[in-house]
Amino acid sequence: MTYLLNDPADFAVDALRGYAAAHPEHVMLAHGGVVRSTDTPVNQPALVIGGGSGHYPAFAGWVGPGLAHGAPCGNIFSSPSASQVYSVARSAENGGGVLLGFGNYAGDVLHFGQAAEKLRAEGVDVRIIRVSDDIASGPAESHRDRRGIAGDLVVFKIAGAAIAAGADLDEAERVAWKANDATRSFGVAFEGCTLPGAGEALFHVPDGEMAIGLGIHGEPGIREVPLGTAAEVADLLLDGVLEEEPERSGAYSGRVAVVLNGLGAVKYEELFVVYARVAEQLAAKGFTVVAPEVGEHVTSLNMAGLSLSIVFLDDELEEYWLAPADAPAFRRAAAGLPSGPPRTEVHTPGEDPIPEASAESKESAALIVQVLELLRDTAAEHEEHFGRLDAVAGDGDHGQGMAYGTRGAAAGGRDAADKGAGARTVLLHAGDAWAEEAGGTSGALWGAALTAAGGVFDDARAVEAPAIADALAAGIDAVVRLGGARPGDKTMVDAALPFRDALAAEFASTADLAGSVKKAAAVAREAAEATAGITSRRGRSRILGEKSLGTPDPGAYSFSVLMDALGNFLGSPGSFTELRSETSPDKQ
Ligand code: ADP
Ligand code: MG
């Protein structure tokens, strides 16, 4: 759907006016299109590219130094008229002749051809480059008869660079055809696009299927196949274009430019997911990728689909592909690559060296891993419930956050312990992993809590009951420090502070750690439930604060659940509590 328009009939013209208004440094309006707002240098060939509207950035977005000189823009998906092409070309031409470029479609061939006739009749030298990169639209033997899709970008970029480097019209024409002959594209679509003002998409692809060999004017694909994973789609596109790879010898050695193009409704993130696989496969097949482009380049309104273009480069094509350009929708810096030696290393979590630990501390570390695994199992058990609480006034992800976080912490802790870490280091690693895996507010706070708790332990000694009580308090203090929430803000702090105070009091009088934690957990549960009576003043749910009335705070509630599990663990045989008799104050 196109949501914003005035009169649907004026959509393309209105869009062009706005585009020109947004980029006065680059372009100005001409009849039926735009030209550079600076004169074409005398005797420089003018590259005039175009086609229908509805494909932005193609074609108007590519007018500027190092790229095109002008772009006639037809109505949505229909060729500019001959008179529009003529006007734009006339405006751009300055003694060097005109190279007209467009995707190979019947309407464009006719209208651009007719404009060329008129210009020639007036003594202007005109050449034509018809881009024909789409392998789905015809056999390899007649590559130049295929239709043009996202290959438009590379062909025009390369031709524009040749012109900027001083090519005359003969030379510009030769380079443009060479680029076209070296470019192959292949696409798939998941859903057709809807013309502005229309109520229905031009075509539909059945759910769970994709159409192979899309066009960029709402032409459906040539056949429908089951929709695969992103990696399968990547492989399909790649296998298609690589079928026509020339032999690697002489000028071509496996260096390629790559354009992964979104048609309008595919997210950049999705494109990157696909590109990750494309890059990996190209590397595995011995290709070297030169300045890949992943994004929207030749769109088709809101069409859901993507295409992959590969340019088999020789030195000349590569030089022009890499040359600077400065158009509103395509910029390449002159010597823009950062200088300095290439970086060989980045920090990887979990790969920091593990400090030496004593046997006693390692024994405690093993128990800490058991605790983390228990928290993991507990969070998994309550995942749905935590999520439901968060869905009332938050975003519903608290169950997932806790499940991911505890899973990460358990795995991170176990990994460190396996590498010989002591109690402190295991908990520090677990804290990092929790925050890393959970994301979200609660993930960051719990990660900080584990880290702070770990700081109380050390790698030389066994963990003893008083240290556990201190570690719990330190973790809670870290949450308060980092999160800045105050009692009554309706956060986990409302359960954690009463827990901390109850634990301190109980442990001081009984010296029974497990019992104290159990008791404090019950206090925390009650406090968490009491948060149902207040409205949120912190975190995501503050926005919908009133809505949270009647539901306990998810973070407070999950805190009480995990502390209860911890109490159970501490009270079980084989836990830290066995250490208690030697180390804790005598309770008799
Ligand atoms: P997100 O809010 O990022 O979606 P979660 O849903 O996992 O993260 O966690 C929500 C919980 O985080 C809340 O219920 C609340 O207990 C806790 N929280 C949010 N902000 C704070 C804060 N500043 N201090 C302490 N806890 C907070
Ligand atoms: Mg949430």
Side-chain angles (χ1 to χ4, degrees):
M1 279 295 294
T2 303
Y3 296 102
L4 296 176
L5 44 76
N6 301 314
D7 182 341
D10 296 337
F11 185 76
V13 172
D14 287 353
L16 193 66
R17 274 198 302 126
Y19 169 71
H23 297 286
E25 313 278 283
H26 285 89
V27 299
M28 57 189 287
L29 287 171
H31 169 63
V34 291
V35 283
R36 283 191 204 172
S37 50
T38 51
D39 276 341
T40 302
V42 178
N43 293 334
Q44 183 176 84
L47 175 62
V48 173
I49 60 172
S53 295
H55 302 303
Y56 191 85
F59 300 89
W62 300 336
V63 174
L67 240 156
H69 295 75
C73 306
N75 216 327
I76 296 291
F77 295 170
S78 53
S79 168
S81 68
S83 93
Q84 291 174 320
V85 177
Y86 173 83
S87 284
V88 171
R90 207 51 285 177
S91 312
E93 205 277 332
N94 196 12
V98 177
L99 179 60
L100 291 178
F102 49 89
N104 188 25
Y105 293 89
D108 294 286
V109 173
L110 292 176
H111 288 288
F112 279 84
Q114 197 183 332
E117 290 310 316
K118 187 166 172 199
L119 289 161
R120 284 182 189 128
E122 294 170 359
V124 177
D125 196 352
V126 182
R127 312 296 170 79
I128 284 176
I129 166 74
R130 287 175 282 106
V131 179
S132 60
D133 52 312
D134 179 13
I135 62 165
S137 61
E141 308 82 77
S142 31
H143 180 65
R144 289 193 178 185
D145 295 331
R146 289 166 160 171
R147 66 187 173 190
I149 52 174
D152 286 337
L153 172 65
V154 276
V155 174
F156 300 152
K157 163 71 184 78
I158 286 171
I163 289 171
D168 63 12
L169 194 58
D170 283 338
E171 179 68 356
E173 181 188 18
R174 178 189 66 78
V175 170
W177 278 111
K178 182 173 163 188
N180 183 63
D181 292 344
T183 303
R184 298 292 183 279
S185 301
F186 191 32
V188 292
F190 316 113
E191 185 63 359
C193 55
T194 307
L195 295 176
E200 188 58 28
L202 289 177
F203 67 92
H204 291 286
V205 179
D207 269 356
E209 299 198 355
M210 59 184 178
I212 291 191
L214 77 167
I216 54 167
H217 303 98
E219 303 94 330
I222 47 183
R223 73 195 147 90
E224 279 158 9
V225 301
L227 173 60
T229 62
E232 285 161 0
V233 169
D235 289 351
L236 175 93
L237 297 179
L238 200 55
D239 290 349
V241 291
L242 292 186
E243 229 167 77
E244 298 182 23
E245 187 195 4
E247 204 184 309
R248 287 186 206 177
S249 65
Y252 170 68
S253 62
R255 297 178 69 81
V256 289
V258 179
V259 178
L260 187 67
N261 175 57
L263 267 293
V266 171
K267 301 282 168 288
Y268 271 70
E269 285 85 347
E270 294 177 274
L271 293 175
F272 288 127
V273 169
V274 172
Y275 187 70
R277 173 71 174 193
V278 169
E280 182 188 295
Q281 287 295 302
L282 283 171
K285 293 174 199 290
F287 289 91
T288 302
V289 176
V290 180
E293 290 289 335
V294 179
E296 294 187 342
H297 297 287
V298 182
T299 61
S300 194
L301 294 174
N302 62 337
M303 176 129 122
L306 72 167
S307 66
L308 176 69
S309 303
I310 296 266
V311 193
F312 304 107
L313 297 169
D314 65 5
D315 288 348
E316 182 183 47
L317 293 178
E318 180 166 338
E319 183 191 328
Y320 291 144
W321 174 239
L322 290 177
D326 180 25
F330 192 95
R331 292 200 169 96
R332 213 192 277 303
L337 293 179
S339 56
R343 187 191 304 285
T344 54
E345 244 183 347
V346 290
H347 176 259
T348 311
E351 284 184 7
D352 295 324
I354 303 276
E356 289 274 319
S358 71
E360 298 78 45
S361 186
K362 284 185 198 173
E363 246 173 70
S364 299
L367 290 172
I368 291 174
V369 171
Q370 284 182 36
V371 171
L372 294 169
E373 289 174 345
L374 176 68
L375 297 186
R376 174 197 64 196
D377 297 343
T378 307
E381 224 172 275
H382 290 77
E383 178 173 349
E384 207 215 311
H385 184 209
F386 295 163
R388 255 187 289 122
L389 291 177
D390 190 34
V392 174
D395 55 357
D397 64 352
H398 186 60
Q400 191 184 310
M402 294 299 285
Y404 286 7
T406 50
R407 203 192 305 156
R414 154 108 25 224
D415 182 58
D418 287 349
K419 291 176 180 152
R424 172 194 174 91
T425 301
V426 159
L427 215 41
L428 296 185
H429 278 239
D432 284 350
W434 188 319
E436 171 104 1
E437 295 300 321
T441 316
S442 67
L445 295 172
W446 272 98
L450 264 61
T451 303
V456 172
F457 300 153
D458 65 49
D459 290 335
R461 281 179 303 168
V463 168
E464 297 159 356
I468 295 178
D470 288 349
L472 286 165
I476 290 163
D477 291 346
V479 168
V480 174
R481 224 174 24 246
L482 182 65
R486 280 190 298 262
D489 283 350
K490 192 163 186 169
T491 69
M492 64 191 277
V493 164
D494 289 329
L497 286 183
F499 174 91
R500 185 193 66 184
D501 296 345
L503 174 64
E506 192 68 14
F507 187 57
S509 71
T510 66
D512 167 13
L513 180 67
S516 303
V517 170
K518 284 289 286 180
K519 193 136 188 204
V523 169
R525 170 65 56 87
E526 216 171 288
E529 269 160 9
T531 62
I534 52 177
T535 54
S536 172
R537 292 202 303 249
R538 274 275 165 186
R540 212 183 280 287
S541 56
R542 74 185 186 285
I543 315 286
L544 301 173
E546 292 299 326
K547 255 181 111 175
S548 73
L549 204 60
T551 307
D553 175 64
Y557 192 85
S558 63
F559 175 85
S560 72
V561 170
L562 293 200
M563 289 308 103
D564 185 55
L566 174 66
N568 287 337
F569 180 88
L570 293 173
S572 64
S575 163
F576 300 92
T577 42
E578 295 200 333
L579 305 162
R580 179 193 44 164
S581 49
E582 303 137 42
T583 57
S584 55
D586 199 333
K587 83 178 188 186
Q588 273 84 35

